[in-house]
Amino acid sequence: MASLPLSTTPNPPNSPIKPFESFKKYRSSETHLPGKVKSSQILRKSYINRISSLCKEGLLHEAFSVLTQMEHDDLYIGPEVYGELLQGCLYDRRFFLGQQIHSRLLKKGSFFHKNEYIETKLLIFYAKCDCLVIAEDLFLRQPKPNVFSWAAMIGMHCRLGFYGKALMDFCEMLESGIFPDNFAVPNALKASSALQWIGFGKGIHGYVWKMGFASCVYVLSGLVDFYGKCGALEDANNLFEEMPERTVISWNSMLVGFMHNGLNEEAMELFYAMRTEGVHPTRVSIASFLSASANLGAVDEGKQGHAIAVLSGLQLDNILGSSIINFYCKIGLIEEAEIVFNEMVERDVVTWNLLISGYLQDGQIDKALYTCCQMKSQNFKFDSVTLTSIIMACANSCKLELGKVGHGYSIRNGIESDTAVACSIVDLYASCGRIGDARQVFRAAITRDLALWNAMISAYAHFGMSSEALKLFYQMQLEGVPPNVVSWNSTILGFLRNGKFCEAQDMFSQMQLTGVRPNLTTWATLISGLAQNGFLYEAINLYGQMQEEGRRPCSMIVVGVLLACTNAVALHYGMVIHGHIIRQGLLSSISVTTSLIDMYVKCGQGNIADSIKFCSNEQLLYSAVTSDSGLQQK
């Protein structure tokens, strides 16, 4: 980066003539030349206006050229000129140039660098550039920080994730007699929502009303965002509806609130209302709408969101590009995601991770690994998300050697302690039959969250090591990690794999007694496991229990219980289950239909089996002739 084109000061640092004294001498000489004074004042003012205009336009080097011309014309350059230049550096985040201005101010003496206006400008510059150490040092040097200094510190601490410190700044600001303005308040609200301190945020809300900020759209938008992220959507919506004026920031705050609380349909409706009101969406608006569309599987709506972004002329940056890629990957349109990815001018690690994850979800493991190689070749460093994706791809394809390379990379880069990475490594070794290596990784983990415990219990269960799975199940509770339904399911599976069917049923009973509600995986694991191992009526009774609880079975559960009916030659139960299948609309499943036919054949009801077979073939024929491919074949 080029250095500042500043000419040498006429008064070197060691000169006995101080800048302020030089200025007084210059001013006293001007009193004898009134016409010249007036002319120089007009010229100086025009130069300063020119510098300010160039800084706002981002033309910093041109602004510094004007400064050089001022020095050449022997015009006085006061602190306000350097303040304008610092503001210009702040607009474009030109940190190196800002440092050079700071150095220049120090050389010009205390009249400049200890000027309150310049001190505040320097503090704001370093704070906005997130230069924590220098900003805090400048803040402590100020004898009495003003409202702008406090707001800069609160904003910086909030951006850097020091939310508690940001709120301490807010409190200290009030104690010092400085009243927070409409810049400090939204940052304090952001810190409160990040910490989920709803009481503190409500206190700020009261302060807003007391100090007359109730009409400030920026502050009100901050309150909507705060209540939304704290789960108080009713309060957020009431504020939003009562706002005298709404900007796109206000709409975005409400959109993000809905998305944060999983209200996808409400978010989509709000987006349409926003469009009806004539508010032009931003990247945040489109990103929220696309996330809602992806979560609801709304393909057409999501494509419309993409089209709106294109028609609005929004740049395909990391935020918007990543949102569109995420949408297409979630709905399984990987080719469209690739097109968007290739159109992006700049990509960050998040963008690469989304595409890799999309390939994995679509089962394109080799393509996911190839994309990782491309990412590496473009000098992007793998983070924990990338590495987890790589190792999971190796686990799914049983590529142990490549997975071990990923394990080594995690150790060399100090991310092997990341719980997501550790889980993927445990899954890798378990899927490749290296249970001892999986155990070693688990024991070496510094912190163990629920996912890591479940990964190791699942590994033991997969190999039928029920004793080890049960021991780990109790150990996790002793270490203060309560089991969830996944933990229970894995332990039950371990007993079934080891042939301990009574213990599996006892574990299921304990699960219900502790208040953990079995999910479909629980029922499917137990019913199928019992049916396959001769516990036929136990499997049928479990299916009846499931029906009493009002749970809709999946095809795997139905196949399991039909197997039990077939092996027990229990025609009556099989016919009852046939009725459930019809009511639940599960006849479209080939595996269910095949099991049903097999049950009737084994129970001596071949005529019913033939009837089901005929109906099934007729349905398949109807589907074929009504589809485009079927018509073409016909």
Side-chain angles (χ1 to χ4, degrees):
M1 186 179 291
S3 61
L4 288 179
L6 298 177
S7 62
T8 308
T9 176
N11 295 319
N14 297 327
S15 172
I17 302 175
K18 302 297 181 185
F20 185 60
E21 292 174 351
S22 175
F23 174 59
K24 286 194 294 183
K25 181 179 178 182
Y26 177 77
R27 293 292 294 170
S28 63
S29 66
E30 287 182 331
T31 58
H32 302 289
L33 302 167
K36 187 175 180 180
V37 170
K38 187 174 181 181
S39 175
S40 64
Q41 286 177 342
I42 293 171
L43 182 61
R44 180 175 178 274
K45 187 175 181 181
S46 68
Y47 274 137
I48 294 173
N49 289 339
R50 181 64 178 153
I51 289 173
S52 177
S53 177
L54 288 169
C55 287
K56 288 176 182 177
E57 294 173 11
L59 303 173
L60 288 176
H61 284 287
E62 289 81 351
F64 291 130
S65 297
V66 176
L67 178 66
T68 303
Q69 187 62 43
M70 285 184 72
E71 291 180 336
H72 182 267
D73 292 344
D74 201 24
L75 294 173
Y76 171 68
I77 302 172
E80 73 278 11
V81 178
Y82 291 101
E84 291 289 348
L85 291 170
L86 280 169
Q87 188 64 41
C89 293
L90 186 57
Y91 288 142
D92 288 349
R93 296 295 191 271
R94 303 289 288 275
F95 183 69
F96 181 65
L97 291 177
Q99 281 187 312
Q100 287 188 303
I101 296 172
H102 189 183
S103 177
R104 179 74 174 204
L105 289 165
L106 291 171
K107 289 178 181 178
K108 290 183 75 68
S110 60
F111 173 73
F112 281 84
H113 71 81
K114 288 191 176 180
N115 177 284
E116 183 183 357
Y117 171 72
I118 289 296
E119 280 185 323
T120 305
K121 279 288 184 184
L122 282 168
L123 172 59
I124 293 171
F125 168 74
Y126 283 112
K128 287 290 180 72
C129 291
D130 294 334
C131 193
L132 180 66
V133 177
I134 299 176
E136 288 185 336
D137 182 62
L138 287 170
F139 181 77
L140 292 172
R141 289 173 184 270
Q142 288 188 333
K144 189 175 180 182
N146 56 36
V147 64
F148 304 107
S149 301
W150 281 107
M153 295 303 290
I154 293 169
M156 178 185 65
H157 286 134
C158 196
R159 281 192 305 277
L160 294 175
F162 303 124
Y163 302 114
K165 178 60 176 161
L167 294 181
M168 284 178 62
D169 290 340
F170 186 82
C171 295
E172 289 174 11
M173 182 181 184
L174 285 169
E175 288 175 2
S176 67
I178 305 293
F179 297 111
D181 61 359
N182 56 349
F183 292 99
V185 169
N187 279 313
L189 287 168
K190 183 180 178 183
S192 300
S193 64
L195 296 170
Q196 293 291 292
W197 288 4
I198 192 165
F200 196 100
K202 285 184 174 180
I204 297 174
H205 189 174
Y207 171 84
V208 165
W209 251 245
K210 182 179 177 182
M211 299 304 294
F213 288 138
S215 60
C216 177
V217 66
Y218 189 54
V219 172
L220 290 175
S221 298
L223 280 167
V224 170
D225 182 71
F226 159 72
Y227 281 117
K229 287 180 178 175
C230 287
L233 278 176
E234 186 177 349
D235 292 329
N237 194 57
N238 289 340
L239 269 171
F240 179 77
E241 294 293 338
E242 293 171 4
M243 287 177 70
E245 178 190 359
R246 296 176 194 158
T247 65
V248 68
I249 297 173
S250 314
W251 288 90
N252 286 347
S253 297
M254 200 65 224
L255 273 171
V256 171
F258 281 136
M259 291 305 303
H260 188 79
N261 290 276
L263 301 176
N264 299 295
E265 291 180 4
E266 289 80 354
M268 293 183 73
E269 289 174 6
L270 188 69
F271 181 83
Y272 289 130
M274 174 183 175
R275 296 274 293 160
T276 305
E277 292 283 333
V279 180
H280 295 290
T282 63
R283 293 177 183 84
V284 175
S285 320
I286 299 290
S288 300
F289 180 74
L290 286 168
S291 295
S293 302
N295 293 338
L296 293 171
V299 179
D300 292 336
E301 288 81 355
K303 287 182 175 180
Q304 287 174 10
H306 186 185
I308 290 169
V310 173
L311 293 172
S312 301
L314 296 175
Q315 185 183 0
L316 203 63
D317 61 357
N318 289 329
I319 296 174
L320 183 58
S322 297
S323 300
I324 297 172
I325 290 171
N326 179 57
F327 163 71
Y328 283 123
C329 286
K330 277 192 173 180
I331 62 172
L333 298 176
I334 304 300
E335 290 182 2
E336 283 79 356
E338 287 176 339
I339 293 170
V340 175
F341 180 83
N342 292 327
E343 288 177 351
M344 292 179 67
V345 179
E346 293 183 5
R347 308 179 188 115
D348 59 7
V349 176
V350 174
T351 315
W352 285 94
N353 286 343
L354 283 170
L355 189 62
I356 293 166
S357 177
Y359 283 136
L360 290 175
Q361 290 172 16
D362 200 51
Q364 300 185 46
I365 296 170
D366 290 336
K367 214 164 186 179
L369 294 173
Y370 174 72
T371 306
C372 289
C373 295
Q374 281 187 309
M375 179 182 176
K376 187 70 175 175
S377 68
Q378 295 191 21
N379 298 320
F380 282 95
K381 192 175 182 180
F382 296 160
D383 63 2
S384 58
V385 178
T386 322
L387 201 59
T388 301
S389 298
I390 293 171
I391 296 172
M392 288 305 296
C394 295
N396 294 335
S397 57
C398 292
K399 295 183 178 179
L400 179 61
E401 292 305 316
L402 185 58
K404 288 170 75 175
V405 172
H407 186 186
Y409 180 92
S410 71
I411 294 171
R412 289 193 302 275
N413 290 274
I415 53 178
E416 80 280 6
S417 59
D418 182 273
T419 51
V421 173
C423 281
S424 64
I425 297 171
V426 168
D427 286 338
L428 167 74
Y429 288 126
S431 63
C432 295
R434 304 285 287 271
I435 192 69
D437 291 334
R439 185 191 295 115
Q440 188 175 350
V441 172
F442 175 79
R443 289 176 177 172
I446 299 170
T447 56
R448 300 171 188 163
D449 64 355
L450 179 60
L452 187 56
W453 284 99
N454 283 345
M456 196 64 228
I457 293 172
S458 177
Y460 282 137
H462 180 76
F463 288 96
M465 301 170 69
S466 56
S467 299
E468 287 81 356
L470 186 62
K471 187 189 296 182
L472 217 58
F473 179 81
Y474 288 126
Q475 185 183 341
M476 70 184 287
Q477 296 177 69
L478 291 173
E479 294 191 18
V481 181
N484 64 356
V485 66
V486 177
S487 318
W488 287 94
N489 289 348
S490 296
T491 311
I492 290 169
L493 178 64
F495 282 123
L496 291 172
R497 287 281 176 90
N498 199 21
K500 298 181 177 180
F501 305 106
C502 294
E503 287 85 345
Q505 292 180 77
D506 290 341
M507 201 72 184
F508 179 72
S509 300
Q510 289 181 40
M511 177 185 184
Q512 292 177 303
L513 288 172
T514 56
V516 178
R517 191 185 183 196
N519 60 13
L520 287 178
T521 304
T522 318
W523 294 104
T525 301
L526 200 54
I527 289 171
S528 298
L530 292 172
Q532 290 168 9
N533 290 277
F535 292 81
L536 307 176
Y537 286 100
E538 287 84 348
I540 295 170
N541 289 335
L542 268 177
Y543 181 82
Q545 184 181 336
M546 180 184 174
Q547 290 297 305
E548 288 174 6
E549 292 185 10
R551 302 297 301 273
R552 185 181 187 276
C554 61
S555 57
M556 184 179 176
I557 293 172
V558 173
V559 168
V561 72
L562 283 173
L563 176 65
C565 294
T566 302
N567 293 340
V569 196
L571 178 62
H572 172 70
Y573 289 115
M575 295 181 73
V576 171
I577 293 165
H578 187 180
H580 292 164
I581 291 169
I582 294 170
R583 286 194 295 274
Q584 298 290 344
L586 292 171
L587 272 175
S588 58
S589 170
I590 295 174
S591 59
V592 170
T593 305
T594 304
S595 298
L596 196 60
I597 292 169
D598 189 50
M599 186 271 296
Y600 278 118
V601 169
K602 293 284 179 68
C603 291
Q605 300 294 324
N607 56 335
I608 300 177
D610 290 338
S611 175
I612 296 170
K613 191 183 297 183
F614 174 77
C615 292
S616 177
N617 290 335
E618 190 178 52
Q619 185 177 5
L620 288 171
L621 179 62
Y622 176 78
S623 300
V625 297
T626 54
S627 66
D628 291 339
S629 58
L631 288 171
Q632 288 171 3
Q633 290 170 2
K634 185 179 178 182

